[in-house]
Amino acid sequence: IIPSSSGIVEDSERDWFNQLVEQIEKEAPENYYLFRTEESTNPVVSKETTSALAAGFGNVEALKTYMDVELSNRPRRKGDDFLTAVDIDRIEDPSLQSLEGSDLQCVGYLDTSWSSDLTSITIAGWDPEVCEYPWQQLRILHWQTWAPKMLGGHMKESWVFDHLERYVPNFPRLELFLIDDRGMNWSKELVIRCNQVRGWGPKIRAFHGKRVQKAGGKVEKQGNRIPGIFGGDEDRSRAWQLLEQRAMTGRRAIVIPKITAPIAPNRAPTSLRGELLGVTKVAQSDGGYEIRDRNRKKSHADLADTLAGVCLLAYYVATNQRKRLEPGYSARQNTALASIMGSGIVKGYGFGDF
């Protein structure tokens, strides 16, 4: 038995325990068993005391990383945190339940996968009764996950379509729903199929990063038969920055549920909280940063990615609502999403309506 809590990662031989845990999580040798939890299992530790410490010392910049290690039991490298346990405590509401419908104005995002990762949906909206202005606070209204390895091996377009067909009509004020189609042919077919449905179908759009460079320097979208918007690295980075801003503002600009979801047989389930604690900032050459999984060194975070996606959509929708009365705005629009909205494809967003 090798019990331990996580500590500060120093990139030295002192990190052996964290490396051992990562290796066993990835592939456990025979007769090895791993138990990992983000909660304290010490019966003499008072939750009231730790909460009080978190509320005070957890907000001190120089101590945030050390406090987060103690509170979340996850390895940390000083200076590269995305969100700490204190940050998540401020925005998490365990009482939130996934709704079957809502008349609130909302947006949606689908993060796709093939077999190893989760496919997940998030719909988020704002409530006029708690907001001083539109989209001031983003509240998660509906979510759903699929674990391909638990359901036969790989994702099927029909699973998601059936879910959208059942629930999307129950969100009549859904403005736009984006489907991440990076490398997933089934998601492209899903967008095409949804757009054939009258009513809610045209609100479903693809979110991708591929561009086609033509002679003369003209850039076109990825095929005319798949309606969508560009979703390159800049948009994805902005999505995570917007999520961070909402979580760090101190005004509770986003409220998230406590979600836990299975991934595969014989693997510990993932959680939204765990994913947010498990991603790290990686500095880029342009001065910005990319969000990556702390352990796998890749940018796929199953549940948290949809959270960032709805933050990006909320930003664009809110910006559009504020600016579409401004003279000449439609002539100056230069974002891919604004061009779609201005085309009148998405009901309610034709700039000529005002």
Side-chain angles (χ1 to χ4, degrees):
I1 298 177
I2 311 177
S4 178
S5 58
S6 300
I8 301 297
V9 176
E10 301 176 345
D11 294 320
S12 68
E13 66 275 4
R14 298 175 67 177
D15 300 335
W16 68 269
F17 185 81
N18 294 325
Q19 294 173 11
L20 173 64
V21 170
E22 290 178 14
Q23 179 61 37
I24 295 177
E25 280 187 324
K26 188 183 304 180
E27 185 177 357
E30 187 177 2
N31 295 326
Y32 277 68
Y33 300 91
L34 175 67
F35 171 78
R36 184 175 193 168
T37 178
E38 297 163 19
E39 305 293 335
S40 173
T41 56
N42 189 336
V44 301
V45 173
S46 167
K47 289 187 177 182
E48 290 75 13
T49 301
T50 55
S51 296
L53 288 171
F57 293 98
N59 291 316
V60 178
E61 193 63 35
L63 299 175
K64 286 181 73 173
T65 301
Y66 299 104
M67 287 300 301
D68 197 44
V69 166
E70 294 299 322
L71 295 171
S72 69
N73 195 33
R74 281 183 173 269
R76 278 287 192 264
R77 181 178 284 102
K78 195 174 189 303
D80 68 354
D81 295 323
F82 176 65
L83 295 178
T84 67
V86 175
D87 299 325
I88 298 173
D89 286 340
R90 185 170 55 247
I91 62 175
E92 188 178 61
D93 183 353
S95 69
L96 281 185
Q97 299 293 320
S98 182
L99 304 177
E100 294 194 357
S102 172
D103 60 358
L104 297 179
Q105 188 182 23
C106 56
V107 292
Y109 190 89
L110 171 69
D111 183 49
T112 58
S113 67
W114 178 242
S115 62
S116 298
D117 299 304
L118 291 177
T119 289
S120 55
I121 281 177
T122 295
I123 295 178
W126 67 279
D127 187 345
E129 293 187 1
V130 298
C131 295
E132 297 178 0
Y133 54 85
W135 304 100
Q136 179 187 25
Q137 183 190 85
L138 197 60
R139 195 172 190 86
I140 308 306
L141 304 175
H142 177 82
W143 60 89
Q144 174 65 33
T145 62
W146 291 268
K149 285 195 173 181
M150 305 282 285
L151 298 170
H154 59 80
M155 275 301 299
K156 295 181 179 179
E157 166 260 341
S158 59
W159 297 343
V160 183
F161 179 82
D162 291 345
H163 187 87
L164 295 177
E165 188 175 41
R166 177 180 177 184
Y167 289 103
V168 170
N170 299 337
F171 294 87
R173 299 190 64 198
L174 177 72
E175 300 292 350
L176 195 60
F177 190 106
L178 296 188
I179 294 178
D180 185 356
D181 73 349
R182 288 175 294 175
M184 300 293 165
N185 289 327
W186 69 264
S187 64
K188 297 178 175 65
E189 296 303 319
L190 175 63
V191 175
I192 296 170
R193 185 177 177 185
C194 287
N195 276 254
Q196 295 172 353
V197 179
R198 296 185 62 181
W200 61 268
K203 298 179 181 180
I204 310 298
R205 299 286 156 184
F207 187 58
H208 52 72
K210 293 184 179 179
R211 292 172 167 84
V212 178
Q213 192 78 32
K214 298 190 71 177
K218 184 178 180 181
V219 178
E220 287 194 348
K221 295 177 186 177
Q222 174 192 317
N224 293 325
R225 76 188 193 99
I226 305 174
I229 70 170
F230 293 149
D233 292 338
E234 183 178 344
D235 279 335
R236 298 181 190 285
S237 178
R238 177 181 292 182
W240 283 95
Q241 289 171 14
L242 290 167
L243 170 57
E244 183 181 34
Q245 288 172 15
R246 283 186 174 273
M248 300 286 286
T249 183
R251 297 193 304 268
R252 213 182 190 200
I254 186 170
V255 182
I256 65 173
K258 194 168 185 176
I259 305 176
T260 301
I263 302 178
N266 303 320
R267 280 186 61 183
T270 187
S271 68
L272 178 56
R273 181 186 184 88
E275 285 189 4
L276 290 172
L277 289 171
V279 293
T280 180
K281 297 179 184 179
V282 178
Q284 303 296 296
S285 58
D286 60 1
Y289 63 84
E290 181 184 4
I291 300 299
R292 295 185 183 178
D293 186 289
R294 191 180 301 274
N295 294 330
R296 296 189 294 180
K297 302 298 186 293
K298 55 190 276 191
S299 50
H300 195 289
D302 300 314
L303 301 171
D305 212 31
T306 63
L307 203 59
V310 292
C311 287
L312 178 68
L313 270 178
Y315 166 77
Y316 279 133
V317 172
T319 301
N320 180 52
Q321 288 178 331
R322 288 194 299 267
K323 290 185 175 180
R324 59 183 175 181
L325 290 175
E326 184 182 337
Y329 174 67
S330 59
R332 299 196 307 274
Q333 57 184 320
N334 56 8
T335 64
L337 185 58
S339 67
I340 282 185
M341 291 177 173
S343 70
I345 294 175
V346 182
K347 184 179 180 182
Y349 280 94
F351 289 103
D353 294 340
F354 295 88

